[in-house]
Amino acid sequence: MKRALLIGIDHYPLNPLTGCEKDTGRLSELLARHGTGSRSRPKNFDVDILLSEVDGPVTRLVMLDAVKALLRDSAEVALLYFAGHGVFDYSTENAVLVAQDGEDMQTGVSLSEITALAAKSPVTSVVIILDCCQSGAAGEIPATGLSLLGSGLTILTSADRQQVAQSTRNGGVFTRLLLTALEGSAADVRGQITPAAVYSHIDQSLGAWHQRPIYKANVREFVILREVSPRVEDEILEQLGAWFPSPDHVFALDPSFETDIRPGTEDDYPEEVRQVNQAVFRALQRCNRSGLVEPVGAEHMYHAAIQGTGCCLTPLGRYYRDLSEEGRF
């Protein structure tokens, strides 16, 4: 059970925005389904969308009731996304997600209210993603700036507590990077995308003169936000321990592993040996392209096979070998 509430508000009476509702719709399409192409696990989050243009005025009460509904019942993951105006209320030392019914642009749902609801929620993991100004105060103790996150809570915001969230007519800069991360740019070798990986992708995409995204978490395990096609399938990763009995083992190669048979060597290896070795070599080449395996004494895997040297694990490859040995897949 994975639920997501996505809120996008463009139609503010005093200071309207453009792009928040489009961002929300794009994000909904990504979160609703995995990108693996697998028919066995196509669905991801059960998404509910709250848009100012479609659903009428998104008042403070409407927003708060929607957040309460998101967090009320047990689930594996509950995700809240907000795109709209955000302000830091200095009278209460708290950030506020601005609703449509505030004449002073201060009325809305405070982040302290949301984190308090999350702390009491039976949901195992709560993820809050905010694309609004001054959202970096989320999860802080008022007037101190100290972080106070309940167990299982992850917060990813577009800007620090004093910063403006940049946007264009087509949407927020932060959400544009969030979408590319979820499309696969932040995926690991297995095709899994976590909030931490999303933050890393966004952080590296923004320079020192840009808004600075904020990441806060108090979790025992990472949430998988989305899955895309893996660069290396688990079936291959599970073989790393067999191919490399020790982390520093060199897997011996010879010309029988390469499909490009040199003239005069057709009878050097039986056909059945070639078929087995070439299947292994294709898998090792996948690992090589993903930075898990590297050729020894040669620039390319092809030359390592033709020259009869071998290949070995990279530090990342040793990490996945250890996971395989421990049965983590």
Side-chain angles (χ1 to χ4, degrees):
M1 286 285 292
K2 298 168 70 176
R3 294 192 297 270
L5 170 64
L6 313 183
I7 303 174
I9 304 178
D10 282 333
H11 299 80
Y12 289 96
L14 295 179
N15 190 6
L17 298 171
T18 59
C20 294
E21 294 183 2
K22 289 181 180 179
D23 281 345
T24 303
R26 296 184 188 112
L27 182 60
S28 171
E29 294 175 0
L30 280 178
L31 288 178
R33 302 183 70 83
H34 289 299
T36 59
S38 170
R39 294 185 178 182
S40 62
R41 292 192 61 196
K43 285 186 64 62
N44 189 18
F45 281 91
D46 188 354
V47 179
D48 188 19
I49 305 177
L50 190 57
L51 301 177
S52 56
E53 183 179 18
V54 176
D55 301 298
V58 182
T59 64
R60 165 181 156 75
L61 183 58
V62 169
M63 285 178 56
L64 187 57
D65 285 346
V67 173
K68 288 179 178 178
L70 172 70
L71 301 174
R72 181 179 299 122
D73 300 321
S74 61
E76 177 188 352
V77 182
L79 184 149
L80 170 65
Y81 168 84
F82 176 81
H85 278 303
V87 297
F88 188 79
D89 186 350
Y90 288 93
S91 64
T92 61
E93 287 287 324
N94 211 322
V96 175
L97 307 183
V98 180
Q100 285 183 271
D101 57 341
E103 294 183 358
D104 56 358
M105 291 300 292
Q106 296 281 345
T107 300
V109 180
S110 71
L111 295 180
S112 62
E113 289 179 286
I114 296 174
T115 54
L117 290 169
K120 298 177 182 178
S121 173
V123 176
T124 303
S125 298
V126 178
V127 179
I128 300 173
I129 303 177
L130 307 174
D131 191 355
C132 57
C133 299
Q134 300 182 320
S135 51
E140 293 181 356
I141 303 173
T144 68
L146 298 176
S147 179
L148 179 63
L149 270 67
S151 177
L153 178 60
T154 298
I155 298 175
L156 179 59
T157 73
S158 59
D160 204 346
R161 68 197 326 253
Q162 304 292 343
Q163 290 182 321
V164 173
Q166 299 173 349
S167 63
T168 67
R169 293 187 62 84
N170 293 321
V173 172
F174 170 85
T175 297
R176 174 176 56 81
L177 295 171
L178 169 65
L179 295 173
T180 59
L182 292 174
E183 286 169 349
S185 296
D188 65 8
V189 169
R190 301 178 68 200
Q192 298 178 340
I193 304 170
T194 66
V198 170
Y199 169 75
S200 177
H201 171 82
I202 296 174
D203 175 66
Q204 293 178 54
S205 301
L206 296 173
W209 292 92
H210 293 93
Q211 67 199 57
R212 298 310 309 157
I214 302 297
Y215 174 77
K216 304 174 184 179
N218 180 12
V219 296
R220 293 189 177 186
E221 60 182 8
F222 280 130
V223 172
I224 305 300
L225 294 178
R226 193 166 186 260
E227 296 179 11
V228 297
S229 297
R231 284 178 280 156
V232 181
E233 291 81 1
D234 284 355
E235 292 77 9
I236 294 177
L237 296 175
E238 289 169 352
Q239 295 298 314
L240 290 177
W243 295 331
F244 301 92
S246 64
D248 57 353
H249 178 78
V250 174
F251 186 92
L253 297 172
D254 59 53
S256 69
F257 286 84
E258 178 53 56
T259 57
D260 185 10
I261 302 175
R262 291 181 299 173
T265 65
E266 293 85 353
D267 298 328
D268 289 354
Y269 303 95
E271 179 59 27
E272 57 271 20
V273 171
R274 288 186 179 277
Q275 291 181 359
V276 172
N277 286 353
Q278 289 168 10
V280 172
F281 196 55
R282 285 192 294 271
L284 290 172
Q285 286 177 310
R286 290 283 298 275
C287 294
N288 172 247
R289 288 191 291 270
S290 297
L292 306 183
V293 168
E294 59 186 1
V296 173
E299 185 176 358
H300 302 291
M301 293 287 284
Y302 167 81
H303 296 117
I306 296 301
Q307 296 169 14
T309 58
C311 61
C312 63
L313 293 169
T314 64
L316 183 62
R318 291 195 289 270
Y319 166 75
Y320 278 100
R321 175 199 173 276
D322 291 344
L323 292 183
S324 170
E325 289 288 270
E326 295 169 5
R328 297 294 181 89
F329 301 141

